[in-house]
Each structure stands twice: as structure tokens, then as C-alpha cells.
Amino acid sequence: MDLKLSHCFISVDDHDKALAFYQDVLGLEVRNDVKYEGMRWISVGSPAQPEVNIVLEPPGVDPNATAADRQALIELQAKGLLRGVNFATDDVDALFERVAASGADVLQAPMDQPYGVRDCAFRDPAGNALRFSQVSRKS
């Protein structure tokens, strides 16, 4: 039995700002842009991974979420406490320079980690923490 990641979800409060970041800054391609009942979902992904989609969705879209749940998610997102995703790259320093030049909020400049990667971190326009890592080269 094969098991592979298909979709992951990131909560965003402004799809246009998110699209500018994920498409224009990170270089992800837009795969789908759906509007339904006043909500919007945009699927983006890396051309190198056509089978993996990142869905940018409004906070609290679960139909079982109460109004209080939705408000709590909006407040947590505004504080930057909702998790984003981790990306792999073959040049974390070049990626850092490009993303930093866009004005994105830097959480961590590139640094070598004791667990074998060199990584950096940013917040996307909605406040989600995104980490970018490169496997460290052995000398």
C-alpha cells in the first residue's frame, strides 16, 4: 500500500496577499482558485511536486466550528500561533535573501542546526510561521 501526502492546509485571512506571497515571492504555482458561498480556497504547489497541494483557506472553515471557535482561530492567527509548513530547498541562503527582500517578517536568519540542516524562518502575510531548510553538506 502506497501512502503519500496530497494536501496540507494553511489558514489565511487575505487571499490576495497570500497569493502575492506564495506565488510571486516563493514561486509556487496556482493550481486551483475556488470561490463558494462567500469563501475562497486557493491551491498552490511547487512545480517540482505536482502531487502535493497547499490549500490556502479562511480560518475556521470547518462546518462544525462554532462562531466562538472561528473567532478564537482568527485571534490565534493574528498572534502568529497557528502552524504553517516546512519547505525544503537546495539553497536556503538564496531563498532567505529573496524572501527577506520581499519585506516578509523574518523569524530566523539562516543558521546551521545540530540536527543536520541549515534553515531559516519567516511569517507569511497572515502570520503563519514557515520554515525553509536545506540538508547540511558534510565537509
Side-chain angles (χ1 to χ4, degrees), residues 24-98:
D24 301 340
V25 176
L26 296 184
L28 301 180
E29 61 187 15
V30 175
R31 302 206 175 130
N32 211 352
D33 190 340
V34 177
K35 295 177 183 170
Y36 179 72
E37 293 186 3
M39 290 183 280
R40 184 178 182 191
W41 294 264
I42 300 174
S43 297
V44 297
S46 169
Q49 288 183 299
E51 70 282 2
V52 178
N53 293 283
I54 301 168
V55 181
L56 308 174
E57 67 176 2
V61 295
D62 185 318
N64 297 314
T66 66
D69 292 339
R70 285 185 186 86
Q71 185 59 39
L73 286 170
I74 289 167
E75 291 171 10
L76 288 170
Q77 183 170 351
K79 294 177 182 178
L81 296 176
L82 297 183
R83 300 293 306 236
V85 296
N86 291 7
F87 291 92
T89 181
D90 60 356
D91 190 343
V92 75
D93 293 290
L95 181 132
F96 178 82
E97 293 303 323
R98 184 174 78 226

